[in-house]
Amino acid sequence: MLRVLVAEDLYLLREGLVHLLQAHGCMVVGAVETGPELLKGLLELRPDVSIVDVRLPPTFTDEGLQAALEARRQVPGLPVLVLSQHVEQLYARELLADGSGAIGYLLKDRVFNAAQFIDAVRRVAAGGTVMDPEVIAKLLASNARHEPLAGLTPREREVLEAMAEGRSNAAISQRLYLSESAVAKHTASIFTKLGLAPSEDDNRRVLAVLAYLNSR
């Protein structure tokens, strides 16, 4: 019998989750409505899995996820299933970052039946990972926006790598068997794709190298 902790501030939804879980053979060891109560319950009760809303009192911002993250720092691998109306990309990444599994992130309006939900609960409790496709899509889209080198061609990456080694355009042209004019075109394209507009104060070559090093 799974021991489950529920964290949800809306009374009807919280009670509905409790009854649903009990009807499917789970033992609900606690039902809380605030972030501090959730953290205390996670650390003291050590449930087999917790079902966590993102936005809980007192501020209704990210208390649920913050409590879950803190609990997993203290108890690595503590199973957490986030059930929310919102995709909090930063915290979703952090939950996934430790690679220990036992994580789920479902959107409330995309859970269509009890069987789907209970299956997700059991999979997370068993150490698996369950992610709503919409959550995955938003994380991938965010990755694309925040990976500055994603739009570079293979040749542009080679040029940028040579720049990071401190090579001049002439040295790059010799190394890659390109004309200096071709190297100049590639570097101009790199600057454009990295959003490095001409500036009197900033050395675009240095900034491009920093972007390369930060991506490694």
Side-chain angles (χ1 to χ4, degrees), residues 14 32 87 109 116 121 123 165 170 178 184-185 188 203 205:
R14 185 172 64 251
V32 301
V87 180
D109 61 355
Q116 172 196 6
V121 171
R123 286 165 60 190
E165 294 171 354
L178 297 170
K185 288 180 180 179
N203 185 323
R205 202 175 185 92

Side-chain angles (χ1 to χ4, degrees), residues 42 50 52-54 62 64-73 75-84 86 88-106 124 128-131 135 139:
L42 287 170
S50 59
V52 177
D53 189 13
V54 170
D62 53 19
L65 275 175
Q66 290 281 23
L69 286 167
E70 179 57 31
R72 280 175 64 92
R73 292 187 192 103
V75 186
L78 191 65
V80 173
L81 173 59
V82 177
L83 181 64
S84 178
H86 314 280
E88 298 288 350
Q89 296 177 11
L90 175 62
Y91 297 120
R93 290 174 189 284
E94 192 169 347
L95 279 170
L96 292 165
D98 62 14
S100 59
I103 283 293
Y105 202 128
L106 299 180
V124 171
T129 300
V130 179
M131 302 292 286
V135 175
L139 290 177

Side-chain angles (χ1 to χ4, degrees), residues 125-166:
T129 300
V130 179
M131 302 292 286
D132 185 284
E134 187 171 323
V135 175
I136 295 173
K138 290 192 176 183
L139 290 177
L140 291 175
S142 178
N143 268 342
R145 288 194 300 271
H146 292 91
E147 287 289 343
L149 307 188
L152 300 185
T153 66
R155 178 61 81 184
E156 288 167 351
R157 283 177 174 267
E158 290 178 338
V159 171
L160 182 54
E161 181 179 356
M163 288 170 56
E165 294 171 354

